Amino acid sequence: FLYVLTNQAPQNLGLKFPSNLEDLRAIASSLSQFQISNPGYVLLLFCSAYVFKQTFAVPGSVFLNILAGALYGVWQGFMLCCSLTACGASLCYLLARLVGADTAQYYFPDKISAFKLKLEENKDQLLFFLLFLRLFPMSPNWALNMASGVLGVPLHLFFVSVFFGLMPYNYMCVTSGAILSEL
């Protein structure tokens, strides 16, 4: 779907996932101009790219958060990123649950057992445990997304923990994008 969307865009937009601030400035500039006459298309393109990156654990969501601030401002960009982060991470969770659970159990049975025991120890306050892991990250978010799916963390708790647990990070990145777009 994302491939079709990018092929429908004018070639002068130079669409690609940004990997540095120069790429980000160029993409933000071209999308801002294009957004004036095609706001729905730019929103659909942005949402599709964001969910793709989150679902398949592609690094670099910081650049999309900054881009959201540049395109949509602080509050709209912030709520958009929080929602897309939670949706994309949930899709990553589901993908790991469907595809990775048996593989992980086969190759890492001791680790899986240890993690399941840790979840069992914290089952009465699982939401707070998951929020703690997001607010004070000791492992990358993509690893938490996949591990939660493999370990069978309840999806509703997972979604809420991602939505609220990544709010500070999303806010800082989106605010940075809004500020950078004004310079």
Side-chain angles (χ1 to χ4, degrees), residues 111-112 117:
K111 290 280 186 193
I112 298 297
L117 182 62

Side-chain angles (χ1 to χ4, degrees), residues 58-179:
V58 177
S61 64
V62 63
F63 292 114
L64 290 182
N65 286 355
I66 294 170
L67 182 60
L71 292 175
Y72 299 106
V74 174
W75 294 110
Q76 281 183 313
F78 173 62
M79 291 311 298
L80 184 62
C81 285
C82 288
S83 300
L84 293 173
T85 299
C87 290
S90 295
L91 290 173
C92 182
Y93 163 104
L94 291 170
L95 192 60
R97 190 173 198 158
L98 293 172
V99 177
D102 294 335
T103 305
Q105 184 62 43
Y106 179 79
Y107 286 106
F108 309 106
D110 296 336
K111 290 280 186 193
I112 298 297
S113 296
F115 285 134
K116 282 188 178 182
L117 182 62
K118 196 70 166 163
L119 286 178
E120 191 61 34
E121 290 172 5
N122 291 288
K123 76 176 182 181
D124 292 335
Q125 64 266 9
L126 188 55
L127 178 60
F128 296 109
F129 179 68
L130 294 171
L131 281 169
F132 174 80
L133 292 175
R134 296 291 177 177
L135 290 169
F136 304 102
M138 289 165 253
S139 65
N141 281 314
W142 62 265
L144 288 174
N145 297 345
M146 291 180 190
S148 295
V150 168
L151 296 170
V153 170
L155 183 58
H156 67 285
L157 293 179
F158 175 80
F159 184 91
V160 170
S161 73
V162 172
F163 187 88
F164 290 106
L166 291 177
M167 276 185 162
Y169 168 77
N170 287 338
Y171 181 76
M172 288 188 310
C173 293
V174 170
T175 302
S176 299
I179 291 169

